[in-house]
Amino acid sequence: MKFLKYSLIALGGLVILVGVVLAYVAATFNPNQYKPQIVQAVKEKTHRTLKLEGDIGLSFWPSIGAKIGKASLSERSSEKEFAAVEEVRVALKLMPLLSKQVVVDTVRVKGLHANIVKTKDGGTNVDDLAGEPPAKGAPAAKETKTDFAVDIAGVEIVDAVISYADQAAGAQYVLAKLNLKTGRIAPGVPTAVDFSVHVQGDRPKVDLPVTLKTRLTLDAAKQSLALDDLVLEAKGAAAGLANLAIKLTGSASVDNAKQHVRAALAGKLADSSIKAQIEIAGFAAPAIRFDVEADQIDLDRYLPQPAPGGGKPGGDHKQAAAKETPIDLTGLRSLHADGKLKIGAFKANNVRASDVRMDLKAQGGHVDINPLNATFYQGALASHIAINAAPAVPTFAVKHNMNGISIGPFLKDLANNDMLEGKGNVTVDVTTQGNTFGAIKRALNGTAALNLADGAVKGIDIAGSIRDAKAKLGALRGEQAQAADKSQKTDFSELTATFAIKNGVAHNNDLSLKSPLLRVGGEGDVNIGEDAINYLVKASIVGTSKGQGGRETDELHGLTVPVRVAGPLAAPSYKLDFNAMATDTAKQKVMDELQKRLGGGAAAGDAAKKDESKPGGSNRDKLRGLFGR
């Protein structure tokens, strides 16, 4: 017992003595006088310039710690600043070290600014700080195992700014206003985490404040961590979408050894309810797998709105400028993704769909959406979309099969165009390229077709126009133009057409419109790139019913009139060629009179032959009489 007593006294005395020595050293030792030696050592070791503008403070009991004031570090072999900090404070508790435990007091970093650059050759400006890579063929260094257990009282990062520049991609990103505060971090101990950052970037454009609150549990042995009770909120713009307002809750896990992340999230995107399962494999080039469901998504809420002023002075100029606004797809070049998306109700560019189902695969700038199926304007949509964002000028390939759709509401929503109504099938198979919407429209190549039934062409009553024109043939000559009149229309029972599209111009030469009253054919061009039309329609009266407008049409039977449709797609004009109509009318009168003089039709053929034996009764004599000769 005496031995134990004296041993404890000796140990207590030793501790007191060590404490006295450390207190004396702390009181008398001034580390700031060694600043020049520290700066020189960093210069020799890293070829970087260290500036220590603030004071260095040391503590030895009950913790071994250091506090560094304002400091900065340059780029390698340059005076350009790489990183700077206003204050760093860290301390280790002394006694736990004796039992192989590293217990760290709260780590505090204030005002950190760092500039990370990825060069065109794939290296970074921090590679030298991580140590020289092993030479080729050299055996890999063996990992040294340690029995020390790490326990951190907390981490606090205040107002940090980290910028990242990718010289190869020409992209720049900034993590501004970065703040992190944690509780105790130790293996198996859940700790509260409060994180916020403002993410900014240009390719793709990002301006997104983000906050994250969660409970973190660390497993140092497995190099993994779990995030429970996760709450993620973000508001701003990202990937071409503005007015984002996201709030998600759920859980996530990170396996650093396997470089794998898994998350299960649910929440709101503005008014949309979302569920998502996400997996990320690999940290250097992440491969993303996802399965997302949403009850509704209105993309127009997040897409830039068209410039105001359409239809007003200067409006066309603003719309043209908006059409030529660059489209940035560089973010797709580094995207590696494979997933499924289901949306109950969807709207984009004012076009609506429901029960949307799509599979997406993306790798190296190639994005393939196939299949894309939806309920679409009382019919069905089946599509395949391929995007190649790898080249400087991205390319696109689109196939749409729209079956049983109502064409009127579709065109109204798509292009604010109310020229056509009916129900049927529309197919589109096109390729294009470009960095702006205007360039994409001008580069369209491929085919399209439509087959509609029981509809109408709005803006003109062809039969009524022919009747009115015939009544005025004595006074009208040449081409007479009339603007589209939405109150008038030409009904049809069947409308078919196919288009060959080249360099943004869709050419058609097989238009066929049928109704009990009319037969309409035509050919011409629809200039998609310039939103204009130049088309010649040839309409013929074939019915004898009262038809549209309520007038008898017997006297118009067989009459054909050319109608030129030209101008902007939103408001084309219609020109009726009265000269051609008058010529056709005169020809018809000649034929009618000829038929009459010849005894009318085949039934009178025998009588005509008998009359030829009489003086003046031959067909030749009747023709001479018809023309007054």
Side-chain angles (χ1 to χ4, degrees):
M1 293 295 293
K2 289 185 178 181
F3 173 76
L4 179 59
K5 177 181 178 181
Y6 292 138
S7 297
L8 291 175
I9 293 173
L11 181 59
L14 178 62
V15 170
I16 294 173
L17 179 61
V18 170
V20 171
V21 171
L22 292 176
Y24 175 77
V25 172
T28 59
F29 176 71
N30 182 13
N32 291 285
Q33 64 183 345
Y34 294 96
K35 280 184 180 180
Q37 291 90 326
I38 296 172
V39 169
Q40 183 61 31
V42 171
K43 186 75 170 181
E44 294 175 354
K45 182 68 176 178
T46 67
H47 301 281
R48 294 172 182 259
T49 300
L50 174 66
K51 295 181 180 179
L52 298 172
E53 300 178 32
D55 289 337
I56 301 174
L58 297 179
S59 62
F60 296 94
W61 187 267
S63 299
I64 302 176
K67 176 182 176 182
I68 301 175
K70 189 174 182 180
S72 65
L73 184 67
S74 75
E75 295 280 4
R76 182 178 176 87
S77 303
S78 171
E79 292 301 313
K80 184 179 180 181
E81 185 177 277
F82 160 68
V85 68
E86 292 182 17
E87 180 184 291
V88 176
R89 186 172 61 203
V90 63
L92 298 176
K93 290 188 178 297
L94 182 62
M95 295 306 295
L97 290 175
L98 302 178
S99 57
K100 295 187 177 181
Q101 287 184 326
V102 178
V103 178
V104 183
D105 278 343
T106 299
V107 177
R108 178 180 171 84
V109 179
K110 181 181 178 182
L112 171 66
H113 289 248
N115 302 300
I116 301 173
V117 178
K118 183 180 180 181
T119 59
K120 292 183 178 180
D121 61 5
T124 71
N125 63 338
V126 296
D127 290 343
D128 61 303
L129 297 178
E132 295 293 335
K136 288 185 177 181
K142 294 183 179 180
E143 294 185 1
T144 57
K145 293 185 179 181
T146 177
D147 294 329
F148 278 87
V150 178
D151 191 329
I152 303 175
V155 175
E156 187 175 358
I157 299 175
V158 180
D159 201 21
V161 178
I162 300 175
S163 65
Y164 173 80
D166 188 335
Q167 293 180 344
Q172 290 187 329
Y173 302 94
V174 176
L175 302 180
K177 299 180 181 178
L178 191 155
N179 294 277
L180 172 66
K181 186 174 183 179
T182 76
R184 179 188 173 197
I185 300 175
V189 177
T191 184
V193 175
D194 195 340
F195 172 78
S196 64
V197 66
H198 189 163
V199 184
Q200 297 171 303
D202 60 351
R203 304 188 72 178
K205 189 171 182 60
V206 180
D207 187 2
L208 197 67
V210 179
T211 63
L212 172 67
K213 294 183 178 181
T214 187
R215 190 176 75 253
L216 180 148
T217 304
L218 179 67
D219 189 334
K222 295 182 179 180
Q223 299 184 47
S224 65
L225 59 88
L227 302 176
D228 297 305
D229 299 332
L230 182 151
V231 180
L232 174 68
E233 294 187 68
K235 292 183 179 181
L241 304 179
N243 305 314
L244 291 173
I246 304 169
K247 183 174 183 179
L248 299 173
T249 61
S251 61
S253 61
V254 180
D255 189 327
N256 188 62
K258 296 181 179 179
Q259 295 193 8
H260 185 268
V261 177
R262 177 175 295 171
L265 304 171
K268 303 285 287 187
L269 171 60
D271 296 330
S272 306
S273 296
I274 294 177
K275 295 180 182 178
Q277 299 283 339
I278 302 172
E279 292 186 37
I280 301 175
F283 294 161
I288 304 170
R289 295 181 64 88
F290 64 87
D291 190 343
V292 178
E293 294 185 25
D295 64 340
Q296 60 176 343
I297 292 181
D298 183 356
L299 274 185
D300 291 345
R301 178 171 183 161
Y302 313 111
L303 294 172
Q305 297 301 308
K312 300 178 182 179
D316 291 342
H317 174 73
K318 292 179 181 179
Q319 289 179 341
K323 191 167 66 171
E324 300 305 327
T325 301
I327 301 171
D328 187 3
L329 299 179
T330 53
L332 297 179
R333 295 174 184 172
S334 58
L335 178 64
H336 297 268
D338 185 351
K340 300 179 182 296
L341 178 62
K342 298 177 183 178
I343 306 172
F346 179 76
K347 183 162 82 78
N349 194 27
N350 207 40
V351 175
R352 305 164 193 271
S354 59
D355 298 323
V356 178
R357 302 288 187 272
M358 61 175 279
D359 291 355
L360 180 146
K361 296 182 184 296
Q363 187 168 4
H366 294 266
V367 179
D368 193 65
I369 302 174
N370 185 33
L372 169 57
N373 298 324
T375 300
F376 195 72
Y377 290 90
Q378 304 176 30
L381 170 69
S383 299
H384 179 189
I385 301 173
I387 303 171
N388 184 3
V393 179
T395 63
F396 307 82
V398 178
K399 292 182 180 180
H400 291 313
N401 287 305
M402 294 169 263
N403 295 317
I405 71 166
S406 183
I407 194 70
F410 171 58
L411 291 179
K412 181 70 174 175
D413 287 347
L414 176 67
N416 196 26
N417 188 300
D418 196 22
M419 288 181 58
L420 188 63
E421 64 182 27
K423 195 166 185 179
N425 304 331
V426 179
T427 61
V428 178
D429 187 352
V430 295
T431 61
T432 187
Q433 61 180 16
N435 285 311
T436 67
F437 285 114
I440 289 171
K441 291 170 68 174
R442 291 189 293 271
L444 279 168
N445 290 281
T447 60
L450 72 158
N451 187 336
L452 304 177
D454 301 327
V457 177
K458 295 185 176 181
I460 185 172
D461 176 1
I462 295 178
S465 297
I466 293 174
R467 284 192 295 270
D468 293 343
K470 185 174 183 181
K472 301 175 183 177
L473 278 176
L476 298 177
R477 290 293 184 267
E479 288 187 336
Q480 299 294 324
Q482 65 181 69
D485 183 351
K486 296 297 178 63
S487 66
Q488 297 187 4
K489 62 180 180 178
T490 300
D491 295 323
F492 61 80
S493 57
E494 178 185 318
L495 172 61
T496 61
T498 60
F499 296 86
I501 305 170
K502 185 175 182 180
N503 297 328
V505 178
H507 178 74
N508 164 262
N509 59 8
D510 64 353
L511 174 70
S512 176
L513 182 150
K514 297 178 181 179
S515 76
L517 182 65
L518 288 171
R519 292 293 185 271
V520 177
E523 64 176 332
D525 297 328
V526 178
N527 192 326
I528 302 169
E530 302 300 328
D531 297 316
I533 186 171
N534 184 13
Y535 200 89
L536 180 63
V537 176
K538 292 188 176 181
S540 300
I541 299 291
V542 297
T544 57
S545 64
K546 289 186 178 181
Q548 297 168 203
R551 298 181 182 178
E552 292 291 347
T553 56
D554 292 352
E555 73 277 8
L556 303 177
H557 182 77
L559 183 64
T560 300
V561 60
V563 181
R564 175 70 65 180
V565 185
L569 281 173
S573 63
Y574 299 87
K575 293 182 179 179
L576 280 72
D577 191 342
F578 291 106
N579 283 338
M581 187 174 176
T583 302
D584 286 346
T585 302
K587 288 180 181 179
Q588 187 63 46
K589 286 184 177 180
V590 171
M591 295 304 297
D592 290 346
E593 187 63 25
L594 177 61
Q595 189 176 39
K596 181 178 179 182
R597 293 288 184 96
L598 293 177
D606 294 338
K609 290 181 180 179
K610 292 180 180 179
D611 289 341
E612 287 183 2
S613 60
K614 300 179 182 179
S618 68
N619 288 339
R620 181 178 298 175
D621 291 337
K622 291 180 180 180
L623 287 172
R624 287 175 178 174
L626 175 64
F627 292 102
R629 297 179 62 182

